[in-house]
Amino acid sequence: DVQLVESGGRSVQAGESLRLSCATSGYTCIGWLRQALGKRRELIATVDTTGSKAYTDVVKGRFTISQDSAKNTVDLQMDSLKPEDTGMYYCAARWGKCNGLETLFGYFGQGTQVTVS
């Protein structure tokens, strides 16, 4: 069974960095999604056990997804944060390889709030 627990969300100033972490109990494909108030949830980054990564254009070059197999965590390093990055950030998982930003996930964490002002 897959368990996902996000951590690291908090309030920061524009331009600062933040690192989110997702503790997993097992996976082959992990994604980070975010949902701003009043907007639909969007997939922003994925990584799978082949090492393949994908990013949506709005975060490419600022966010980095990484995995630590020994710790069973998948982190999202977020640099040069902007107010429009504000939202609830969710970790998601599926078995099998990721399909980039077309990946459909079956498991989701509870989310961690990021606020950029």
Side-chain angles (χ1 to χ4, degrees), residues 17-28:
S17 297
L18 197 58
R19 190 175 186 92
L20 305 182
S21 186
C22 174
T24 79
S25 60
Y27 71 95
T28 54

Side-chain angles (χ1 to χ4, degrees), residues 18 38 61 66 70 72-73 88 101 114:
L18 197 58
S66 61
N72 274 340
T73 58
M88 186 68 78
L101 299 178
V114 173

Side-chain angles (χ1 to χ4, degrees), residues 36-95:
L37 194 63
K39 296 187 178 180
R40 67 176 184 176
R41 193 160 52 183
E42 60 173 338
L43 179 59
I44 59 172
T46 64
V47 63
D48 64 27
T49 50
T50 70
S52 178
K53 300 179 182 181
Y55 300 93
T56 190
D57 286 345
V58 294
V59 306
K60 197 174 295 182
R62 298 189 298 123
F63 291 11
T64 303
I65 191 169
S66 61
Q67 53 188 331
D68 187 328
S69 299
K71 296 181 179 178
N72 274 340
T73 58
V74 175
D75 291 353
L76 185 68
Q77 176 66 36
M78 305 187 294
D79 298 321
S80 302
L81 282 162
K82 305 175 181 180
E84 50 264 44
D85 293 318
T86 294
M88 186 68 78
Y89 283 69
Y90 299 90
C91 181
R94 62 159 289 159
W95 300 109

